[in-house]
Amino acid sequence: MNRLPRISIVLLLWLLCTVPAMSIQRFPPPEFETDHTIPTATQPSARSVGFEILDVAVLTAALSLASWLVLKKRSRRWIVVLMLFSLVYFGFWRKGCICSIGAIGNVTLAIFDSNYAIPWVMLLFFFLPLLFTLFFGRSFCAAVCPLGAVQDVVLLRPLEIVPWLETTLRLLAWLYLSVAVLLAATGSAFVICRYDPFVAFFRFSANPAIWIISFSMLIIAIFVGRPYCRFLCPYGLILRQVGRISKFRVTITPDECIHCRLCEGACPFGAIEKPTVEWPRTEYPRGRRRLITLICLLPVFIAAGIWIGHALHPKLAANHPVVQLAQRVKLEQTGVHLETIDMSKAFYSSGQTLEHLYASADQVSSQFALGSAIMGGFLGLVIGGTLLTHSIFWKRAEYEAHRAGCVACGRCYNYCPRHRKWLKDKKV
Amino acid sequence: MEKQTPDNLPRRRFLREGLWTGALAALGAACAVLLAKGRRQKYVWQIDPLKCIGCGNCATHCVLNESAVKCVHAYAMCGYCDLCTGYFIPEPKELTTAAENQLCPTGAIIRTFVEDPYFEYTIDEPLCVGCGKCVVGCNAFGNGSLFLQVRHDRCVNCNECAIAVACPSQAFKRVPIETPYIMKDA
Amino acid sequence: MKKRIGKIQSGVLTGLVLAVAIGAGVAAFLLFDTSGTKSTLPPEYKYEIEQYAKIDPALIIYEQVGDPIETDFDTACAITLDDAGNMVIAGDSKLVKYDLAGKPLNEIELPKEPTCIEFDLDGNLIVGMSNVIMILDPQGNTVQEWSAPTAVSLQTSIAADKDHVFAADALNKLVWCYDREGNVVNKLGAKDPDRNIPGIVIPSAYFDIATYPDGLLRVVNPGRHWIEAYTTDGDREWYWGRAGVDIEGFSGCCNPVALAVLPDGGFVTAEKGLVRVKVYDADGEFVGVVAGPDQLGWIEPLRVCKTPEECKAKGFDVAVDKAGRIYVLDTLRNVVRIFERNKSAAARAAR
């Protein structure tokens, strides 16, 4: 209903913008003696809003269906079918252009830049999977995300990754997420989109460097289960944390665990955890000491992070176009570079002053100084926290899918004898 | 009766439920705030013709094999010249439509005679690769009626436009979908 | 699902995977360039205008006198010289007189933006606005004022002989010939096959005229790259000039944009686009170059501007003093450069 006033405001703004432009004397085209009329250029419109509603509807349906398949139907086969559908729809048909992972950048920019209003479709693509994860676990990763689907279908010879390596590599995702948020918040770049490793396949085009990344990731994904999801994906990382407190979750067995150990090697993503044995009594004092040491060390980790982050801020700031331009122009002004490039040529022809350019670059740099320090401190906290959580004894009585690590692919179901019995019972 | 798993310890459960409710509330609030701010506005990428320097990156950096950027003609600004510097190479043998005289490497500009001494130039969009060669020629010597625009029937509206990243003059910007073009003769 | 792999084999595989990961990282780091500094566009898709901007130094027979003179105009549009040799520059909504050192002497406010100025033989200043002509006496008082016969007109150049005032009208694509009272006596240059007049082609707002000692008016036909000579009766006597990016031709779609007559009867022409000021003799034979892109400050073929008019301003106006020195007004940067005949080049020519 509030559409009309909005349109009129847009129209008014448009008129205000064009009135001064029209008052400028533009030299008219010739007046023809023949009745030739001067054409106007066509302006083909963008993809209609209807398609966007379809995108959101498909996302919601896929998430619901995935949650049902994972938790109620417990069928790996149908999960694969849905996964392939998502791969085709969100991947090849929509060319990875509407993507929850990339939406992190938009959401961040919308928070930090008051001039940027996030499109509602993007917002829903960011929040709907989070909401579903809060209720049903990572069903998005299971069968809706096209990037996850690519990796899942090529996983042929999974290698086991030792837990310490898994934990360490996951820190990469924290780093990636932090850098992505920092660069998006400063309006520098949407790195998650820029380095998307599978979008090249969806579009059948990319620059050579991205092709190399894409193919390497694909080859690695043959041997390492979902390497992007586990060790890099920033959105997966957020979903992991939400998954920890989800209302429902994947259970390997539909009812009870009989400790048959058949599922032990079932998970290619290392997300099945064995029941724990009690620590020997002698372990406790050591464990406690370690815990206390680590808690004391936590501020040190954070401080080190802040220091390193701050020290690295010039490198990070160099991703901002204004800083890039200022650096280049400075090098040309000081005679290091004798030739101008397109970027500096454009600057010189714009008539802007050097002082203005340097001042705005400095302003961006100071934003980065603060942002990088916060980022470094956060990463310090993450590293310290990771060490801490691995020094705490978690008690488990049965074989469990790890709440955070499980991507709900459904592979383990068929390994469980209780599941097979449950299937048989269901048929009868 | 419930099993006594560590998950079901009363304090753990309390903590978990509290966190869960908190997370749900936070998600809802964040979504609502951002949605209110967004006011369902949608943006698309466009080139500001006043900032474009015709560097040619539009032809090579688009994620599509055939760039979404094409040359557009603001006819109302055109001088309808016989010797069009966006159509002819700098030193044409003669002012004819022979391929050797044409500036456009893909022959994407159509020259039609209107009346003495005027000619009309039209872009054959399927042939245009968006390199901006004619745009440079037209702007350097002529009225600047040829300019580059993102064609929204082709653009997939990437989250981060790859050409925008490579644009040396920061001519790419997000514009509201209601006014998706920045026409020079508007 | 998960196959048991022998120890060695899995070691090899792990190594391979690691190698791929590291290799990809390194390759991507080396290859990835989003800064746009390196263009991958094949050369046939690039318009290299710079190569046409280079001028053989031996052809440059003038040299700049002193530094460019800064004016305080936002948009200067025309320059002329008074009898004392001072510069009068028109722009914004005013006229400003400068001495040769660039010091403003006096200033006259105008009711609207001027587009062209010229002194008549009595030392009165004729000012052209879009469709109004004003004649100011040497003290700056308005002596006469009249409007163009058509409501819509754009006077881009003005000239006067003893009995007439000529106004070049870019919109109507002709030259109005007025008597001194402002009555239209004649129209020059309009398309007329019966009189063998092909018509003036004006693709952009540049259309210059100049009086000449032989009594014929010189009219630039920019779209055809000609300088035409008209009698006050409107007969087209002859023309010279041709299109070409080579140094002897007029480049682009519509050049020259400005014309002035030297004391020896030669012509000074200014071109936009490929910015260059050149000298031709009375018959239209190329003599030499006054200044090229390097001397005038090369203007990028496509500039980054904030407003459309900023993008459009790229023309020059030229004026000549009694000693044959050439004054070039850069209407983009609002500066004046003065050039005089290069002594060594003159000596070389004499030999």
Side-chain angles (χ1 to χ4, degrees):
Chain A
M1 232 14 314
N2 63 356
R3 202 171 163 76
L4 201 64
R6 205 171 62 240
I7 289 175
S8 51
I9 288 170
V10 168
L11 266 177
L12 191 69
L13 282 176
W14 179 78
L15 278 175
L16 283 176
C17 294
T18 47
V19 163
M22 280 194 288
S23 67
I24 299 156
Q25 209 156 34
R26 190 203 300 132
F27 200 76
E31 279 163 22
F32 300 114
E33 285 159 15
T34 54
D35 56 356
H36 180 77
T37 49
I38 291 170
T40 46
T42 56
Q43 301 184 22
S45 54
R47 209 167 167 271
S48 82
V49 182
F51 277 103
E52 308 201 311
I53 295 169
L54 179 69
D55 286 340
V56 174
V58 170
L59 175 75
T60 316
L63 281 169
S64 313
L65 191 58
S67 305
W68 181 73
L69 288 177
V70 167
L71 297 176
K72 283 275 164 225
K73 177 93 176 152
R74 293 173 62 82
S75 161
R76 167 71 183 160
R77 188 176 302 155
W78 283 105
I79 291 174
V80 170
V81 170
L82 181 59
M83 193 165 78
L84 291 175
F85 164 78
S86 301
L87 180 61
V88 170
Y89 186 86
F90 294 111
F92 292 102
W93 161 247
R94 291 296 283 117
K95 300 200 186 308
C97 270
I98 185 84
C99 165
S100 301
I101 306 173
I104 293 174
N106 300 65
V107 170
T108 312
L109 187 64
I111 293 170
F112 284 91
D113 182 355
S114 55
N115 293 321
Y116 176 71
I118 186 170
W120 62 277
V121 179
M122 200 70 86
L123 199 63
L124 288 179
F125 262 75
F126 181 76
F127 279 109
L128 277 178
L130 286 178
L131 189 70
F132 271 83
T133 307
L134 198 55
F135 278 93
F136 309 112
R138 295 170 67 181
S139 47
F140 172 75
C141 300
V144 185
C145 178
L147 274 66
V150 171
Q151 299 169 78
D152 209 291
V153 293
V154 298
L155 177 57
L156 299 173
R157 306 206 56 183
L159 292 172
E160 202 175 329
I161 296 200
V162 285
W164 67 265
L165 186 62
E166 169 111 25
T167 312
T168 315
L169 284 175
R170 197 175 306 125
L171 291 174
L172 284 177
W174 283 106
L175 180 67
Y176 193 24
L177 175 65
S178 315
V179 171
V181 166
L182 177 66
L183 292 181
T186 51
S188 312
F190 286 179
V191 273
I192 299 171
C193 299
R194 195 183 295 182
Y195 295 96
D196 189 316
F198 298 110
V199 94
F201 298 117
F202 300 152
R203 292 174 186 152
F204 298 112
S205 80
N207 70 45
I210 291 291
W211 272 124
I212 292 175
I213 293 179
S214 304
F215 271 106
S216 313
M217 197 59 94
L218 201 66
I219 291 167
I220 294 170
I222 297 173
F223 304 107
V224 178
R226 294 194 178 215
Y228 184 74
C229 305
R230 280 155 85 195
F231 308 127
L232 286 170
C233 181
Y235 194 65
L237 194 61
I238 299 173
L239 292 180
R240 276 181 72 89
Q241 313 317 318
V242 177
R244 285 180 201 280
I245 51 168
S246 67
K247 197 111 223 169
F248 310 99
R249 59 157 167 162
V250 170
T251 50
I252 302 167
T253 159
D255 35 36
E256 57 172 337
C257 178
I258 53 170
H259 294 257
C260 65
R261 302 181 59 187
L262 284 174
C263 65
E264 246 179 28
C267 184
F269 313 120
I272 293 183
E273 295 187 304
K274 295 178 193 170
T276 47
V277 276
E278 286 283 330
W279 280 6
R281 282 231 163 261
T282 48
E283 265 306 284
Y284 274 103
R286 263 186 65 197
R288 200 174 296 133
R289 264 202 309 278
R290 190 163 53 180
L291 202 62
I292 290 166
T293 321
L294 282 171
I295 288 173
C296 294
L297 273 177
L298 201 55
V300 179
F301 276 115
I302 295 173
I306 290 175
W307 184 77
I308 295 172
H310 188 268
L312 284 177
H313 90 263
K315 284 246 178 283
L316 286 163
N319 284 293
H320 195 284
V322 170
V323 178
Q324 264 171 21
L325 176 64
Q327 283 175 351
R328 174 73 201 189
V329 168
K330 200 165 234 163
L331 290 177
E332 284 175 15
Q333 291 297 315
T334 49
V336 179
H337 288 304
L338 295 174
E339 286 200 342
T340 54
I341 55 173
D342 285 338
M343 180 164 66
S344 51
K345 265 186 217 164
F347 167 74
Y348 294 130
S349 84
S350 72
Q352 264 187 53
T353 59
L354 286 173
E355 291 78 39
H356 182 259
L357 175 68
Y358 292 155
S360 36
D362 284 344
Q363 202 196 339
V364 173
S365 279
S366 61
Q367 279 175 9
F368 266 96
L370 178 67
S372 311
I374 294 174
M375 185 191 91
F378 174 69
L379 283 174
L381 178 70
V382 166
I383 294 172
T386 307
L387 287 173
L388 265 180
T389 47
H390 281 79
S391 308
I392 295 172
F393 174 69
W394 305 93
K395 207 165 137 191
R396 265 183 309 275
E398 48 187 47
Y399 283 91
E400 276 177 21
H402 189 265
R403 274 182 171 274
C406 173
V407 293
C409 67
R411 280 189 176 82
C412 54
Y413 295 152
N414 282 332
Y415 286 80
C416 183
R418 297 295 304 168
H419 171 80
R420 270 176 268 164
K421 181 164 183 296
W422 172 80
L423 277 182
K424 219 176 274 168
D425 291 351
K426 217 165 63 159
K427 255 182 208 152
V428 177
Chain B
M1 204 195 106
E2 274 191 85
K3 282 185 296 175
Q4 272 294 311
T5 63
D7 267 6
N8 284 335
L9 286 173
R11 68 191 150 93
R12 284 241 183 124
R13 212 159 81 184
F14 177 73
L15 194 67
R16 189 182 294 272
E17 305 241 303
L19 266 176
W20 190 87
T21 318
L24 187 65
L27 270 187
C31 190
V33 165
L34 287 172
L35 199 61
K37 191 190 165 206
R39 289 194 304 274
R40 294 199 234 140
Q41 180 68 283
K42 197 194 168 190
Y43 293 93
V44 289
W45 291 100
Q46 195 48 273
I47 302 170
D48 184 345
L50 294 184
K51 294 216 169 94
C52 171
I53 58 162
C55 66
N57 282 350
C58 287
T60 49
H61 281 74
C62 185
V63 296
L64 301 174
N65 272 329
E66 182 196 336
S67 178
V69 172
K70 304 265 176 190
C71 181
V72 174
H73 196 185
Y75 296 94
M77 289 175 73
C78 180
Y80 282 78
C81 306
D82 183 9
L83 169 52
C84 170
T85 52
Y87 182 83
F88 290 112
I89 55 168
E91 288 166 305
K93 287 198 181 68
E94 47 184 349
L95 301 186
T96 65
T97 55
E100 69 206 27
N101 296 325
Q102 289 187 31
L103 186 67
C104 180
T106 59
I109 307 181
I110 303 160
R111 169 178 150 107
T112 37
F113 176 72
V114 179
E115 64 180 53
D116 179 61
Y118 301 124
F119 291 81
E120 190 162 87
Y121 299 89
T122 317
I123 310 296
D124 187 354
E125 265 190 39
L127 289 180
C128 177
V129 297
C131 66
K133 195 178 184 184
C134 60
V135 176
V136 174
C138 177
N139 277 271
F141 301 109
N143 288 3
S145 58
L146 295 173
F147 61 109
L148 293 175
Q149 286 282 282
V150 174
R151 303 302 273 171
H152 292 297
D153 52 342
R154 298 189 44 76
C155 177
V156 289
N157 201 20
C158 294
N159 216 358
E160 180 177 63
C161 171
I163 317 175
V165 173
C167 178
S169 57
Q170 293 165 43
F172 269 76
K173 55 183 185 187
R174 292 185 179 90
V175 296
I177 195 165
E178 289 88 353
T179 50
Y181 292 89
I182 308 175
M183 301 302 275
K184 262 190 152 178
D185 56 352
Chain C
M1 198 77 205
K2 190 171 156 187
K3 301 215 172 73
R4 286 210 179 281
I5 307 163
K7 255 211 153 84
I8 301 161
Q9 205 184 351
S10 80
V12 169
L13 271 179
T14 315
L16 270 177
V17 168
L18 267 177
V20 167
I22 294 167
V26 171
F29 182 75
L30 292 178
L31 274 172
F32 204 76
D33 172 47
T34 52
S35 60
T37 48
K38 274 177 265 164
S39 176
T40 49
L41 198 65
E44 67 264 32
Y45 291 88
K46 277 247 166 195
Y47 201 148
E48 302 291 354
I49 280 185
E50 281 86 350
Q51 59 176 301
Y52 302 104
K54 292 192 181 75
I55 291 177
D56 178 4
L59 294 173
I60 301 177
I61 55 170
Y62 279 74
E63 62 190 2
Q64 191 171 325
V65 184
D67 291 326
I69 296 167
E70 304 274 344
T71 69
D72 61 348
F73 281 93
D74 290 330
T75 326
C77 63
I79 183 171
T80 189
L81 302 167
D82 69 6
D83 275 340
N86 296 315
M87 296 179 280
V88 178
I89 298 176
D92 301 343
S93 282
K94 62 185 181 184
L95 302 170
V96 182
K97 187 182 277 186
Y98 294 89
D99 68 10
L100 280 184
K103 201 175 78 170
L105 299 176
N106 62 357
E107 189 176 316
I108 298 171
E109 291 293 325
L110 294 172
K112 55 198 242 185
E113 286 166 30
T115 51
C116 47
I117 45 172
E118 195 62 71
F119 282 102
D120 68 7
L121 298 172
D122 308 325
N124 298 317
L125 187 63
I126 312 173
V127 185
M129 283 158 263
S130 55
N131 65 341
V132 175
I133 290 170
M134 282 172 76
I135 300 183
L136 309 174
D137 67 15
Q139 285 71 45
N141 306 311
T142 307
V143 182
Q144 248 175 337
E145 180 176 338
W146 69 80
S147 296
T150 54
V152 183
S153 57
L154 174 62
Q155 294 174 136
T156 51
S157 180
I158 211 138
D161 64 12
K162 208 160 124 301
D163 305 317
H164 305 96
V165 173
F166 303 96
D169 184 340
L171 283 186
N172 293 307
K173 302 182 190 342
L174 52 79
V175 180
W176 300 105
C177 173
Y178 301 95
D179 63 17
R180 299 297 301 211
E181 271 68 52
N183 306 307
V184 176
V185 182
N186 224 328
K187 293 191 284 188
L188 317 183
K191 187 173 176 177
D192 186 349
D194 296 339
R195 296 172 79 179
N196 195 23
I197 298 175
I200 293 168
V201 180
I202 305 175
S204 59
Y206 298 100
F207 178 29
D208 204 5
I209 54 173
T211 48
Y212 196 79
D214 64 5
L216 299 180
L217 186 73
R218 295 303 191 276
V219 177
V220 177
N221 193 336
R224 300 186 196 269
H225 307 88
W226 292 338
I227 313 291
E228 299 178 309
Y230 285 90
T231 65
T232 45
D233 298 330
D235 284 323
R236 179 169 168 269
E237 299 293 314
W238 76 83
Y239 73 91
W240 59 270
R242 63 168 175 84
V245 287
D246 61 294
I247 198 68
E248 295 185 22
F250 296 124
S251 62
C253 72
C254 29
N255 267 323
V257 293
L259 179 75
V261 180
L262 287 161
D264 67 358
F267 294 95
V268 182
T269 62
E271 287 164 57
K272 71 178 171 78
L274 204 55
V275 293
R276 49 195 196 187
V277 177
K278 298 180 297 192
V279 172
Y280 292 82
D281 72 11
D283 302 322
E285 286 297 317
F286 173 75
V287 176
V289 176
V290 177
D294 287 342
Q295 289 76 35
L296 295 166
W298 168 252
I299 296 163
E300 288 297 323
L302 276 165
R303 293 183 301 110
V304 179
C305 1
K306 290 181 200 75
T307 56
E309 73 264 42
E310 199 182 298
C311 270
K312 293 267 353 154
K314 55 183 171 185
F316 288 90
D317 196 19
V318 287
V320 175
D321 72 6
K322 286 175 188 135
R325 296 203 297 181
I326 295 166
Y327 296 64
V328 181
L329 172 68
D330 179 337
T331 61
L332 171 62
R333 300 194 179 92
N334 302 310
V335 298
V336 180
R337 290 184 176 84
I338 304 173
F339 296 90
E340 68 180 7
R341 191 77 186 231
N342 187 325
K343 304 271 171 7
S344 55
R348 230 183 305 140
R351 260 187 277 125

